[in-house]
Amino acid sequence: MQALGMLEVYSFTSAVCTADIAAKAADVRIIAFDRNRPIRTDVPAPLVMEVKMEGNVAAIRAAVEAGKAYATEKGKYIISHVIPRPADDLDPMAYLMDVNKDKYNKKLPKSFLNVETKVPERIEAIGLLEIQGLVASIYGLDAMVKAADVRLVHSEKRLGGRLVTLVVAGNISAVSSALEAGVAAAEEIGEVYGCEAIANPHPEILKYFDMSSES
């Protein structure tokens, strides 16, 4: 590994969006999403996520700066750092991944260490809705799929903070409409901590989700 970049942000939604921005800014490989719990309660979301990426030093620095700018603007940035030429013994921590614990995406490897990934099909847009509470999340999902032509491609449960992130795919208009309906429904009975549409999501993000049409 030439260089390791790390970005720590609040919420799963922010982590995915930050990684997408970083991957679009420079030629880097997103190697893991890791998780922690905040030590305080007065935070933007009850979940800390770390985005980890590899590439050459210049690319990693550019990607980290782009991701940091996005997360800072959203009020979700915590810390970031770049390690040039990390020691080989660092690999187990660098590639440690805490995502897909419920195995929604059965194709996702446990680690991307020495794993080559196939470029996923082009997807016009994905939408992320992060909600506190299982009941509220199901209610929000029902509203989303009824409001627009979108399909669920991932569900990420973070029960430490009782957060559920729903990831839907479709065209940008449908995704935007679905998110609007989902937020309106979920806020009736729960709290929404993330709502973002990503147009033309980068393949480095899509590889974490099962974008096939099969359920």
Side-chain angles (χ1 to χ4, degrees):
M1 187 187 300
Q2 297 182 57
L4 171 67
M6 298 170 287
L7 273 157
E8 202 165 298
V9 299
Y10 290 108
S11 93
F12 185 80
T13 300
S14 296
V16 174
C17 293
T18 297
D20 182 69
I21 293 289
K24 288 173 177 174
D27 184 17
V28 298
R29 185 176 184 230
I30 307 300
I31 59 173
F33 289 96
D34 208 351
R35 174 184 68 114
N36 202 355
R37 294 182 65 178
I39 58 175
R40 305 196 323 267
T41 56
D42 58 331
V43 292
L47 173 66
V48 172
M49 295 295 298
E50 180 188 12
V51 180
K52 293 179 276 192
M53 64 194 81
E54 67 172 353
N56 67 51
V57 176
I60 288 295
R61 291 193 189 282
V64 167
E65 283 304 310
K68 176 182 176 180
Y70 166 83
T72 300
E73 180 184 356
K74 294 293 183 178
K76 301 292 181 66
Y77 174 74
I78 302 173
I79 192 171
S80 59
H81 196 65
V82 175
I83 303 178
R85 299 178 301 281
D88 292 339
D89 288 347
L90 201 66
D91 280 352
M93 285 296 292
Y95 286 89
L96 182 64
M97 184 157 61
D98 188 347
V99 69
N100 195 48
K101 291 299 184 184
D102 294 313
K103 299 295 186 293
Y104 194 96
N105 180 4
K106 295 178 175 59
K107 301 175 183 177
L108 187 67
K110 292 182 178 180
S111 170
F112 280 110
L113 179 61
N114 300 321
V115 173
E116 292 298 323
T117 54
K118 181 180 177 182
V119 176
E121 62 180 284
R122 182 185 178 278
I123 298 295
E124 184 175 336
I126 61 172
L128 298 98
L129 183 60
E130 193 165 6
I131 306 163
Q132 188 170 54
L134 292 170
V135 172
S137 68
I138 294 172
Y139 187 40
L141 175 61
D142 180 67
M144 284 199 290
V145 296
K146 284 177 177 175
D149 183 17
V150 297
R151 57 190 174 90
L152 181 68
V153 296
H154 197 85
S155 174
E156 191 71 24
K157 297 187 184 77
R158 300 293 171 179
L159 297 181
R162 297 192 300 119
L163 298 185
V164 180
T165 305
L166 306 167
V167 185
V168 297
N171 65 50
I172 187 62
S173 177
V175 166
S176 298
S177 296
L179 288 176
E180 184 177 352
V183 169
E187 285 184 333
E188 292 180 16
I189 55 175
E191 188 165 356
V192 174
Y193 281 97
C195 176
E196 292 285 346
I198 301 178
N200 300 313
H202 196 280
E204 283 297 307
I205 304 308
L206 293 181
K207 71 186 184 185
Y208 285 90
F209 310 129
D210 185 359
M211 306 307 298
S212 69
S213 58
E214 301 175 2
S215 59

